[in-house]
Amino acid sequence: MFLNTTGCLWILSFPWFGMDIGGTLVKLVYFEPKDITAEEEQEEVESLKSIRRYLTSNVAYGKTGVRDVHLELRELSMCGRTGTLHFIRFPTAAMHRFIQMGRDKNFSSLHTTLCATGGGAYKFESDFRTTADLELVKLDELDCLIHGLLYVDSVGFNGHPECYYFENPSDTQACVKQPCSLAHPFPMLLVNIGSGVSVLAVYSKDNYKRVTGTSLGGGTFLGLCCLLTGCETFEEALEMASKGDSTKVDKLVRDIYGGDYQRFGLQGSAVASSFGHMMSKERRDSISREDLARATLVTITNNIGSIARMCAVNEKIERVVFVGNFLRINTVSTKLLAYAMDFWSKGQLRALFLEHEGYFGAVGALLELLKASEDP
Amino acid sequence: FHQAGGQSSHSMDKSITLPPDEIFRNLENAKRFAIDIGGSLTKLAYYSTVQHKVAKVRSFDHAAKSDGEPLYEISVQEEITARLHFIKFENTYIETCLDFIKDHLVNTETKVIKATGGGAYKFKDLIEKKLKLKVDKEDEMSCLIKGCNFVLKNIPHEVFVYAKHGDSEFRFQNTHPDIFPYLLVNIGSGVSIVKVEAEDRFERIGGSSIGGGTFWGLGALLTKTKRFDELLQLASRGQHTSVDMLVKDIYGGAYGCLGLTGDLIASSFGKSATAEKEFSKEDMAKSLLHMISNDIGQLACLYARLHNLSRVYFGGFFIRGHPVTMHTITYSINYFTKGEVQALFLRHEGYLGAIGAFLKGAEEDNPNQYCWGENYAGSSGLLSVSPELNPMQRERSGTFDMLEMDRLERQLVNLPLLQDSSSYIPDTVDLTEDTLAREYWLCCFEEALDGVVKRAIASQKDQPEAAERAEKFRQKYRDKLQTLRHQPFAYGSLTVRSLLDTREHCLNEFNFPDPYSKIKQKENDLALKSYQRVLKTLEELSWEQRQIALVRGLLAGNVFDWGAKAVSDVLESDPEFGFEKAKQQLQERPWLVDTYNQWIERLKGPPHKCALFFVDNSGMDIILGVFPFVRELLSRGTEVVLASNSGPALNDVTNGELQILTERIAAMDPAIQYALDRLTLVQSGSSSPCLDLSRLDKVLATVVRERGTDLVVIEGMGRAIHTNYYAALSCESLKLAVIKNSWLADRLGGKIFSVVFKYEVPSIIQGHH
């Protein structure tokens, strides 16, 4: 048996993709080899070249596809090759256009394996087959999530740590983002916030269980925001939320008790009833779209924090790692989660975050592709 | 502007139709007020005394007794009992109500009114001005818990499980002797999760800001619907699948390896993140309801698991009898605990705060030392789930709801001889679940009403207004039956016992304390005359012959029952119908249920140490049936405890009557006279023709324990068939009755006058501790 230096049995044909088709977003990772020899370049078929050029020379694809340039992992060594890992996302609603593009670019002629995870791997399997003559290798999304996360953390973020936390989470002024290492990650409570939320207790790379989940996730935030404010995108919703004031919408403990509810140690500033002020018509008439967006964001985030904290206590796990695309460009939520974990556990729990938020499933899928090449 | 005008005229309408004198009852003697003012409803509580007529019996001087005179005299006396009144009404009525109370409050020395609830601040000045009482604010949560403990302890069938698609939507649970620990999830505008470990020990272990206020507030924004009830109605008509992203929307089917079914909601409102589609109000309201109910259910489960609690009660305005929210919460709890925890609800959930506030103010009256009973005559009962079924109820729902509780004169406890007090269910048939039986019994009680009214009037011939009162009784009881036809669950599980008890409560309400007193008196007199003859016949028999004759005598005596319509018709039309005739009516052996052979074998063995005998009717039953049987037990060396009703019910012998009868029998029977120190008379603590072995006089329980009771005899249809037929006791028991109702006999596979003779030995003989 002949092994190359990194353990790959034989050189896997390009292109290398990993795909995670979620309820709202499709996450795609693409490995661009930078060590292509002249010989290889010459042998490279036209369709492969065109895919590579299309993906690497653009940062936006169609109206809705985006390449997160700031996340790309450079000089990454995978399966004996060195290159850049690109992170691309587009709405699941555009999935059919993507499949058509696969057909138009004659993807099936490359005889590559397409590894996909997420619910869409099942939902769109037959579309891939019938439209683009492509056979998907379907992978479990939680397996991929954990494997991808551990891999990205182990290779680091272009020389920096992948993981971070907030120092002084209970103090808005002194609260700062601090890089950290996930060197000893187990056990960890992994909270994946996509359209919905899954909470996993992870004891090792392959030993984990899904503790619970909630349907109040990123999809709920965006869905409610669209209905309440007429916004259309996540970015727009977050932009509004960043300018709003949720205390005009939510009823606080002090609104009911005049101050703290000392009998139960509840601070006056704690939210007693999310959207509670909206029971009154005058209040409804006096708030802005921004306030509503902020209240929606705070409500969903606090609720996730609350469930995560209860699960951590029930499972006796102190490390709570939050991932998923809900946290993308969403410092309001990350800080709120950090605060909630710290405050309600009296400092017992620590919230950890990862830079590549929502891409771990896709990375995990890519790893499966490469792993498949190891098995004869 | 227009709206405000409309609203005030609306409340004017209501105040005109208000009949407060039927609502704020017994105000003359009211004291100790408490008020709980919520967001939309006010709950008022007060303590009052009620003057009642009660029938008393008194023995004539023996020396003066001649043959023509009755055995004892009956007198009607006034008695004062304590009652708690709780009234719930919409906040719009508050001023009208306070005015009414002010005008009718005469005798009170009360200076303060305990107040709780969010509205207590808002209305403080108004209350102080109108009632001239100082408002004393109490913490909301401690009132809630105090009230919750109180109803859990005192009201049978307080707790229920909600099953939308069940045979009956409400499944009531029996009062559990140990109510602690439990979790109370109070869903007001936010959610509080409270762990209660003891009467005064509780802790808010968690909560959530996503609660009733979120449903209302977000719902109002999304649907432009203002009222909470309307939002719930919208939700009940909606389809959440058009708004929510389901697992199958993401996977195309189920996510099999995690056991997530395709219909599970993956992301609430996950499909509404688009500007291209319009969503219906109904669908959005439904999705919102699911989102909030699931979220609360999930948190409740996490807290229940963390604190290892299995009893989880839900309350607060979000729940308050709304079938829609009870259903979604039940569903959620069931889902998240995989069926291990059931969501529990309370019939009087809306009153908890008021009850608690009241109890705080009444501590010097030691309300927790007494047992209390729900008065079915004065309480409104649970509202109909489908108001359109009963328009009468719908009107009430918008106005007033009442709960009245009587202070019971005796402390009630479990019979110590129950095999498992926590699983004991007194009633044999739950009419809430058995539609056929329900229809039969409701008709049966309706048909018997004429007779009861006639009897009531006859019992008070000397009082000309008795007829008018009896008519009011008829109206009230008929209304109750009507209500129960539409809402069998109104007072907990509907049973023959609750129908009988409701009738007794209504009779008392209109001052007919003992309609059968004169009949009982006459029959006792008559039976006493035959006592010695019956004894003589028995003494001539061989031991074996005597045993069966004693049992047949007991059964024949039990035929004399005015509670059974078939029999009361016979007794009414044939005054000569006597003991011998009754014996002829009895079914020949083998009886419908016949374990007589085992009983006779047992009697050949060593005597029982002590027998507890729950007696039934006056007259032939007690004198010619029970006494000879008891006499035989006493002669074997067995001690006997005779348990009779504390208060009157139909022609059942009361403790007062039995004392006189025993004296008289002892005077003419030396064997009884000789054994008097081994014959004890105790009160059952009940005034019902049926028997709840979990609510018995504390003295009875003590006597039973002290005497080492090893045999329990339960006699009669009410006590041994309608109730306790399946009761499992930890000692030997004998249940015997004659089925005097052809429908019931038919159901049990027999004919009218079939005999049930059920002698049981417990399968688990308890070991030494």
PDB file of all heavy atoms in Angstrom, chain A residues 37 101 118 163 174-175 216 250 253 304 336 338 356 369 375:
ATOM      1  N   THR A  37       0.463  22.355 -10.697  1.00  0.00           N
ATOM      2  CA  THR A  37       1.655  22.361 -11.547  1.00  0.00           C
ATOM      3  C   THR A  37       1.245  22.697 -12.985  1.00  0.00           C
ATOM      4  O   THR A  37       0.058  22.593 -13.328  1.00  0.00           O
ATOM      5  CB  THR A  37       2.337  20.984 -11.547  1.00  0.00           C
ATOM      6  OG1 THR A  37       1.360  20.024 -11.977  1.00  0.00           O
ATOM      7  CG2 THR A  37       2.845  20.615 -10.160  1.00  0.00           C
ATOM      8  N   MET A 101     -27.300  25.551 -12.865  1.00  0.00           N
ATOM      9  CA  MET A 101     -25.954  25.973 -13.216  1.00  0.00           C
ATOM     10  C   MET A 101     -25.025  24.767 -13.309  1.00  0.00           C
ATOM     11  O   MET A 101     -24.171  24.666 -14.197  1.00  0.00           O
ATOM     12  CB  MET A 101     -25.446  26.973 -12.171  1.00  0.00           C
ATOM     13  CG  MET A 101     -24.166  27.678 -12.566  1.00  0.00           C
ATOM     14  SD  MET A 101     -23.646  28.825 -11.270  1.00  0.00           S
ATOM     15  CE  MET A 101     -22.963  27.682 -10.098  1.00  0.00           C
ATOM     16  N   GLY A 118     -27.185  18.498   5.720  1.00  0.00           N
ATOM     17  CA  GLY A 118     -28.344  19.363   5.920  1.00  0.00           C
ATOM     18  C   GLY A 118     -29.578  18.720   5.316  1.00  0.00           C
ATOM     19  O   GLY A 118     -29.496  17.782   4.521  1.00  0.00           O
ATOM     20  N   CYS A 163     -11.499  30.442  17.919  1.00  0.00           N
ATOM     21  CA  CYS A 163     -12.495  30.569  18.985  1.00  0.00           C
ATOM     22  C   CYS A 163     -12.328  31.890  19.740  1.00  0.00           C
ATOM     23  O   CYS A 163     -11.227  32.425  19.843  1.00  0.00           O
ATOM     24  CB  CYS A 163     -12.282  29.390  19.936  1.00  0.00           C
ATOM     25  SG  CYS A 163     -13.479  29.283  21.238  1.00  0.00           S
ATOM     26  N   ALA A 174     -16.962  47.495  29.450  1.00  0.00           N
ATOM     27  CA  ALA A 174     -15.695  46.759  29.507  1.00  0.00           C
ATOM     28  C   ALA A 174     -15.733  45.431  28.768  1.00  0.00           C
ATOM     29  O   ALA A 174     -14.768  44.678  28.772  1.00  0.00           O
ATOM     30  CB  ALA A 174     -15.313  46.524  30.976  1.00  0.00           C
ATOM     31  N   CYS A 175     -16.855  45.152  28.139  1.00  0.00           N
ATOM     32  CA  CYS A 175     -17.006  43.865  27.460  1.00  0.00           C
ATOM     33  C   CYS A 175     -16.182  43.848  26.180  1.00  0.00           C
ATOM     34  O   CYS A 175     -16.413  44.640  25.275  1.00  0.00           O
ATOM     35  CB  CYS A 175     -18.484  43.665  27.147  1.00  0.00           C
ATOM     36  SG  CYS A 175     -18.841  42.204  26.183  1.00  0.00           S
ATOM     37  N   LEU A 216     -37.604  28.237  17.902  1.00  0.00           N
ATOM     38  CA  LEU A 216     -37.405  29.691  17.938  1.00  0.00           C
ATOM     39  C   LEU A 216     -35.943  29.974  17.620  1.00  0.00           C
ATOM     40  O   LEU A 216     -35.105  30.007  18.512  1.00  0.00           O
ATOM     41  CB  LEU A 216     -37.767  30.265  19.312  1.00  0.00           C
ATOM     42  CG  LEU A 216     -39.248  30.423  19.615  1.00  0.00           C
ATOM     43  CD1 LEU A 216     -39.823  29.107  20.098  1.00  0.00           C
ATOM     44  CD2 LEU A 216     -39.472  31.500  20.648  1.00  0.00           C
ATOM     45  N   ASP A 250     -40.826  45.724  25.085  1.00  0.00           N
ATOM     46  CA  ASP A 250     -40.901  44.715  26.147  1.00  0.00           C
ATOM     47  C   ASP A 250     -41.312  45.352  27.470  1.00  0.00           C
ATOM     48  O   ASP A 250     -40.957  46.501  27.757  1.00  0.00           O
ATOM     49  CB  ASP A 250     -39.529  44.055  26.352  1.00  0.00           C
ATOM     50  CG  ASP A 250     -39.088  43.260  25.137  1.00  0.00           C
ATOM     51  OD1 ASP A 250     -39.964  42.891  24.323  1.00  0.00           O
ATOM     52  OD2 ASP A 250     -37.873  43.016  25.002  1.00  0.00           O
ATOM     53  N   VAL A 253     -39.317  44.177  34.379  1.00  0.00           N
ATOM     54  CA  VAL A 253     -39.717  43.936  35.764  1.00  0.00           C
ATOM     55  C   VAL A 253     -40.078  45.261  36.438  1.00  0.00           C
ATOM     56  O   VAL A 253     -41.066  45.363  37.148  1.00  0.00           O
ATOM     57  CB  VAL A 253     -38.581  43.196  36.523  1.00  0.00           C
ATOM     58  CG1 VAL A 253     -38.839  43.199  38.022  1.00  0.00           C
ATOM     59  CG2 VAL A 253     -38.441  41.764  36.003  1.00  0.00           C
ATOM     60  N   ILE A 304     -32.977  31.504  23.546  1.00  0.00           N
ATOM     61  CA  ILE A 304     -31.970  30.485  23.227  1.00  0.00           C
ATOM     62  C   ILE A 304     -30.984  30.380  24.391  1.00  0.00           C
ATOM     63  O   ILE A 304     -30.617  29.287  24.824  1.00  0.00           O
ATOM     64  CB  ILE A 304     -31.231  30.830  21.917  1.00  0.00           C
ATOM     65  CG1 ILE A 304     -32.209  30.748  20.737  1.00  0.00           C
ATOM     66  CG2 ILE A 304     -30.044  29.893  21.701  1.00  0.00           C
ATOM     67  CD1 ILE A 304     -31.681  31.333  19.439  1.00  0.00           C
ATOM     68  N   LEU A 336     -25.187  39.342  24.085  1.00  0.00           N
ATOM     69  CA  LEU A 336     -26.316  39.027  24.950  1.00  0.00           C
ATOM     70  C   LEU A 336     -26.215  37.585  25.469  1.00  0.00           C
ATOM     71  O   LEU A 336     -26.467  37.313  26.648  1.00  0.00           O
ATOM     72  CB  LEU A 336     -27.619  39.207  24.156  1.00  0.00           C
ATOM     73  CG  LEU A 336     -28.886  39.500  24.928  1.00  0.00           C
ATOM     74  CD1 LEU A 336     -28.694  40.656  25.894  1.00  0.00           C
ATOM     75  CD2 LEU A 336     -30.006  39.826  23.943  1.00  0.00           C
ATOM     76  N   ALA A 338     -23.427  35.865  25.775  1.00  0.00           N
ATOM     77  CA  ALA A 338     -22.303  35.828  26.709  1.00  0.00           C
ATOM     78  C   ALA A 338     -22.757  36.346  28.070  1.00  0.00           C
ATOM     79  O   ALA A 338     -22.462  35.758  29.112  1.00  0.00           O
ATOM     80  CB  ALA A 338     -21.158  36.664  26.171  1.00  0.00           C
ATOM     81  N   HIS A 356     -16.094  31.040  12.146  1.00  0.00           N
ATOM     82  CA  HIS A 356     -16.744  30.526  10.938  1.00  0.00           C
ATOM     83  C   HIS A 356     -18.172  30.078  11.164  1.00  0.00           C
ATOM     84  O   HIS A 356     -18.710  29.238  10.422  1.00  0.00           O
ATOM     85  CB  HIS A 356     -15.897  29.401  10.321  1.00  0.00           C
ATOM     86  CG  HIS A 356     -14.670  29.903   9.642  1.00  0.00           C
ATOM     87  ND1 HIS A 356     -13.508  30.185  10.341  1.00  0.00           N
ATOM     88  CD2 HIS A 356     -14.426  30.220   8.351  1.00  0.00           C
ATOM     89  CE1 HIS A 356     -12.597  30.643   9.500  1.00  0.00           C
ATOM     90  NE2 HIS A 356     -13.128  30.678   8.284  1.00  0.00           N
ATOM     91  N   LEU A 369     -15.660  13.884   2.177  1.00  0.00           N
ATOM     92  CA  LEU A 369     -15.231  13.614   0.799  1.00  0.00           C
ATOM     93  C   LEU A 369     -13.772  13.160   0.790  1.00  0.00           C
ATOM     94  O   LEU A 369     -13.405  12.187   0.148  1.00  0.00           O
ATOM     95  CB  LEU A 369     -15.400  14.878  -0.044  1.00  0.00           C
ATOM     96  CG  LEU A 369     -14.806  14.834  -1.455  1.00  0.00           C
ATOM     97  CD1 LEU A 369     -15.690  13.998  -2.364  1.00  0.00           C
ATOM     98  CD2 LEU A 369     -14.635  16.239  -2.011  1.00  0.00           C
ATOM     99  N   ASP A 375     -10.442   5.500   2.225  1.00  0.00           N
ATOM    100  CA  ASP A 375     -10.930   4.124   2.307  1.00  0.00           C
ATOM    101  C   ASP A 375     -10.918   3.474   0.934  1.00  0.00           C
ATOM    102  O   ASP A 375     -11.553   3.969   0.020  1.00  0.00           O
ATOM    103  CB  ASP A 375     -12.360   4.115   2.845  1.00  0.00           C
ATOM    104  CG  ASP A 375     -12.415   4.840   4.176  1.00  0.00           C
ATOM    105  OD1 ASP A 375     -11.427   4.752   4.926  1.00  0.00           O
ATOM    106  OD2 ASP A 375     -13.429   5.497   4.440  1.00  0.00           O
TER     107      ASP A 375
END
